[in-house]
Amino acid sequence: MKQKIIVAIMAVAGMCLNTHAANNPYSIYTANLPFSMPEVTAPTFPNRLVNLQDYGAKGDGTSLCTEAFAKALDALEKKGGGRLVVPRGVWFTGPIVLRSNIDLHLEQGAIILFSGDMSLYPVVETVYEGKADRRCQSPISGHNLINVAITGRGVIDGNGQNWRPLKKWKVTDKQWDKMTKGGGVMSKKKDLWYPSEEHIRQRPVLVHLNNCRNVMLQNVAFQNSPAWNIHPLMCENLIIDGITARNPFYAQNGDALDLESCRNALVINSVFDAGDDCICIKSGKDEEGRKRGRPCENIVVSCCTVFAGHGGFTVGSEMSGGVRNVLVKDCQFLGTDVGLRFKSTRGRGGVVENIYINGISMYNIIEDALIFDLYYGGKSVTDEMDGINQGTGKALSVADETTPCFRDIHIENIICRGASRALYFNGLPEQPIRNIYLRNINITADKEGEFKYCENIKKENVVIRTQ
C-alpha cells in the first residue's frame, strides 16, 4: 500500500512538472544549470489586433510611415495593448518608439525600412559603449517598458550604409567607388569615408531597449544597422529566440547583439553574422560602469550559429559592472575572427566569473580559437614591462578597483578545425587570469598559443594539432 502511494505521488509530481514545462516552453533552458537562475517567461499581451494600414500607412517602399506607426501605437496603448500587425510590404519610416504591453508583429513579407535622413532622428541622451552619450535617436527604441515584443517573420533594415564609415581596405574598388561618389567626408589618406561630419559621432544603434522588463525578440531578421544592431541595456526577463542579426562584414562597430547589464536572459536558436562582435556581454565602462554597479548575470546562450564577426561569443571589453553566471552551449562558429573572446584593459575594473562554456564547434577561425586579452586596445605585456604605458604611464604592481579580474571560467567539449592560433592567455602582472578549467578541447591550428600572467590553468584532455 505504501509503495502504491509513493508511485501515485511521483506520478502527480511528474504531471505537475510536465504541465509546468508545457505552460512555459522556455523552462528547459534554466533547468539543471551550474548556477541558480529563475525561469524566464515570455511576455503576454491582450488578445487585440491593430493593423498598421488602418492608420494611413502605405507599404509601397517610398511613402513615409512615421506618423502612422506613432498613431497606431498610441491607439493600441490607450486600449490596453495588444498586437500591432505590420502586413506584407515595404514600410519606409523614421524612428519607432515602442510601448508597454504591445507586440510589434511583422507578417511574412513585411519589411520595415528606416530612412537614412538624419533630420528625422533627433539627438537624445543615451548610452553607447558603456558610457552616457548623445547620439541620434535609435530607429527602434523603448524605455522603462513592461511586456514588449518584436515578433513575426519579417525584416527590419536600418539603412546603415547612410550612417556608417567605410574603410577602403575592407571593400573592393567597385564597392568603394559606389559608396563614396555621392559626397561625404574623406580622411586625409583617402582611405576612410564618412557620410557627413555629423554622422561621425552620432550614428545610433538599430534597436535600443533601456530598463525594460519582460522582453521578447522572436524570429524577425534585424539587419544593416547604423552602429550596433541590438542593444538591450539593464533589461530583465529577456528572450531572444530564433532571430537573425546581420550586418556587412565591413560594418564599423556593427555588433550583432550587445547585452549590457541585463539579468535573466535567454539567447537561443538564433543566427548572427556581423561586422564586429556577434554575441557580446557587457556591463558599462570604467568608473561610470562601476558606479552603475549592475552586472550582466544569469544569461543562457544556446543553439546559436555565428558566421562572420570579430568574436563568436565575447565578454567585454566594457565589463566594469561585472559579468557572472553565464552558460554558453551547443553553438557553432564558422569564419569568425575569434571564437571565444574575453577582453578588457586597465581602468575597467569589474569581475568576470562563473562562466560555463560547453559544446562549441568551430571551423575556419581566422585568428584565435580562444583568447583572454587584458591588454585590449593597448600595448603588449613586453611593452608594459618596459614602461610603455597602457593608460597609467608605468607598469603596475598592485591591483585596485580599476583592475579587471577574470576567474572561475569552465570551458569544455570544444572542437575547432582551422585557426591561426589555438589559445592565447594574456593577463596582467598585478591581476593574473585565475582558475580557468579546460576539458576535452580539440583544436587544429597553425600555432599552439601563449600563456602570460595566468594562475591555476587546469587542462584535461586538451589536444592541439599544429599544421
Side-chain angles (χ1 to χ4, degrees):
M1 182 67 178
K2 184 178 179 181
Q3 187 176 6
K4 290 181 179 179
I5 293 173
I6 293 173
V7 170
I9 291 172
M10 292 177 65
V12 171
M15 288 173 62
C16 292
L17 289 172
N18 290 336
T19 301
H20 188 59
N23 291 338
N24 179 18
Y26 295 104
S27 63
I28 60 173
Y29 294 100
T30 52
N32 303 316
L33 295 178
F35 47 83
S36 178
M37 176 178 171
E39 284 190 9
V40 180
T41 56
T44 58
F45 303 96
N47 188 19
R48 182 180 296 112
L49 300 180
V50 163
N51 193 302
L52 182 64
Q53 287 179 306
D54 294 340
Y55 292 85
K58 295 180 180 180
D60 57 13
T62 57
S63 299
L64 195 64
C65 302
T66 314
E67 186 176 353
F69 271 106
K71 286 182 177 179
L73 289 164
D74 283 342
L76 196 51
E77 182 182 36
K78 289 175 182 177
K79 293 176 181 178
R83 171 174 283 182
L84 174 56
V85 176
V86 182
R88 179 174 57 85
V90 179
W91 308 92
F92 185 60
T93 183
I96 297 171
V97 180
L98 301 175
R99 314 294 173 85
S100 291
N101 300 313
I102 292 179
D103 172 15
L104 179 63
H105 183 80
L106 287 73
E107 293 186 337
Q108 180 71 49
I111 299 173
I112 296 178
L113 175 62
F114 285 96
S115 171
D117 181 357
M118 188 176 178
S119 67
L120 297 176
Y121 305 85
V123 175
V124 298
E125 300 287 342
T126 187
V127 174
Y128 183 66
E129 293 187 329
K131 289 190 173 184
D133 203 351
R134 288 179 57 81
R135 304 178 80 86
C136 287
Q137 180 178 339
S138 288
I140 295 180
S141 62
H143 299 265
N144 305 316
L145 304 181
I146 299 175
N147 296 328
V148 61
I150 302 174
T151 66
R153 295 288 178 179
V155 176
I156 295 174
D157 190 298
N159 223 334
Q161 69 278 1
N162 290 290
W163 295 85
R164 291 189 301 262
L166 188 66
K167 294 177 178 178
K168 187 174 184 178
W169 60 90
K170 285 194 171 187
V171 296
T172 65
D173 290 341
K174 185 176 181 179
Q175 289 172 317
W176 177 258
D177 292 340
K178 180 180 178 180
M179 288 298 300
T180 60
K181 68 180 181 181
V185 178
M186 192 74 69
S187 66
K188 291 182 179 179
K189 294 182 178 180
K190 306 294 184 183
D191 59 356
L192 179 62
W193 172 87
Y194 287 88
S196 72
E197 290 282 357
E198 292 80 9
H199 285 82
I200 293 176
R201 284 289 304 157
Q202 294 182 350
R203 57 196 175 104
V205 302
L206 175 58
V207 179
H208 179 66
L209 299 171
N210 187 344
N211 198 33
C212 298
R213 183 158 49 92
N214 304 341
V215 179
M216 172 174 274
L217 307 179
Q218 187 181 52
N219 295 334
V220 174
F222 301 85
Q223 69 170 28
N224 202 14
S225 58
W228 293 351
N229 202 324
I230 302 169
H231 181 209
L233 170 67
M234 297 187 291
C235 292
E236 187 170 348
N237 197 63
L238 167 69
I239 297 173
I240 297 175
D241 179 11
I243 71 161
T244 298
R246 59 191 294 266
N247 277 326
F249 73 91
Y250 53 80
Q252 186 80 8
N253 305 115
D255 295 22
L257 170 65
D258 292 275
L259 290 179
E260 182 173 350
S261 295
C262 291
R263 179 184 296 124
N264 304 333
L266 304 180
V267 181
I268 57 177
N269 309 319
S270 295
V271 176
F272 303 93
D273 189 354
D276 210 309
D277 289 322
C278 284
I279 306 170
C280 194
I281 309 298
K282 300 177 180 288
S283 62
K285 186 175 182 179
D286 300 344
E287 184 178 7
E288 194 168 321
R290 296 194 298 272
K291 284 184 176 179
R292 182 199 296 166
R294 292 188 58 165
C296 208
E297 61 183 340
N298 299 344
I299 312 295
V300 174
V301 178
S302 178
C303 300
C304 291
T305 299
V306 178
F307 293 104
H310 289 182
F313 172 78
T314 299
V315 175
S317 69
E318 303 97 53
M319 37 58 70
S320 303
V323 176
R324 64 193 180 207
N325 296 349
V326 178
L327 171 65
V328 183
K329 66 173 186 174
D330 302 331
C331 294
Q332 48 199 357
F333 306 153
L334 301 99
T336 59
D337 289 353
V338 174
L340 300 166
R341 187 184 195 194
F342 296 83
K343 57 180 179 176
S344 189
T345 188
R346 283 175 173 154
R348 294 283 191 270
V351 178
V352 174
E353 61 184 348
N354 233 25
I355 312 297
Y356 297 84
I357 299 173
N358 190 343
I360 309 298
S361 300
M362 309 184 212
Y363 172 65
N364 193 27
I365 304 301
I366 296 170
E367 297 173 12
D368 301 282
L370 168 61
I371 184 172
F372 288 83
D373 187 8
L374 272 63
Y375 287 82
Y376 176 71
K379 301 295 182 181
S380 67
V381 172
T382 303
D383 289 338
E384 190 72 13
M385 297 307 292
D386 288 340
I388 300 174
N389 75 45
Q390 188 193 18
T392 64
K394 58 182 179 180
L396 300 179
S397 57
V398 179
D400 59 23
E401 68 172 7
T402 70
T403 312
C405 176
F406 286 71
R407 67 192 183 199
D408 301 328
I409 298 172
H410 305 254
I411 302 173
E412 60 182 325
N413 299 321
I414 307 297
I415 297 176
C416 176
R417 170 64 187 268
S420 177
R421 183 169 51 186
L423 307 170
Y424 183 60
F425 287 46
N426 189 19
L428 295 170
E430 69 272 19
Q431 185 79 282
I433 301 163
R434 290 187 174 92
N435 305 339
I436 311 298
Y437 303 92
L438 306 175
R439 180 173 174 269
N440 296 338
I441 311 291
N442 192 318
I443 301 175
T444 303
D446 295 337
K447 297 179 290 185
E448 288 192 13
E450 299 178 66
F451 291 81
K452 302 175 183 178
Y453 297 109
C454 307
E455 293 181 357
N456 195 29
I457 309 300
K458 294 189 175 181
K459 303 177 184 177
E460 179 184 343
N461 191 28
V462 175
V463 178
I464 310 295
R465 297 181 176 87
T466 56
Q467 300 184 88

